[in-house]
Amino acid sequence: IATERAGRLVFGIGIDANIRREALPLELRPIATSILEETGRETDLARLEEELVRELERRLSPEGDGGRGQADEAWRCLVKSCL
């Protein structure tokens, strides 16, 4: 979900990290997973947050795409709700 507020784009990402499938709501069990379920290991949530933010910054910066402007175009599309 993305919204624009005061000239800023605000969006949220949900990541199931340290949750077992049986702890999920029944209707989500067939389609949802978690890092724990996929790897068999618990995730350090602080490290996950740090790496996620670093990767988002890298991918969404103009420098992160070799200067081709793809990140800028992706942001324009998000703001225009064309993604």
Side-chain angles (χ1 to χ4, degrees):
I1 298 172
T3 60
E4 189 176 357
R5 294 184 186 159
R8 295 176 182 236
L9 179 66
V10 178
F11 67 97
I13 298 172
I15 299 174
D16 290 323
N18 296 325
I19 189 167
R20 294 268 180 214
R21 183 166 277 117
E22 58 268 12
L24 294 167
L26 286 173
E27 65 274 9
L28 294 180
R29 290 180 190 174
I31 60 172
T33 191
S34 71
I35 296 171
L36 175 63
E37 287 292 330
E38 295 299 318
T39 66
R41 298 186 319 260
E42 287 201 5
T43 299
D44 177 330
L45 298 179
R47 183 172 173 207
L48 174 63
E49 177 188 16
E50 180 182 305
E51 290 183 18
L52 176 64
V53 168
R54 184 181 14 245
E55 188 64 17
L56 285 170
E57 287 174 342
R58 184 185 73 78
R59 288 179 179 253
L60 296 174
S61 72
E63 299 82 26
D65 65 2
R68 294 184 301 272
Q70 293 173 355
D72 289 339
E73 182 61 26
W75 277 113
R76 281 192 289 278
C77 285
L78 278 170
V79 171
K80 293 177 184 176
S81 298
C82 68
L83 287 180

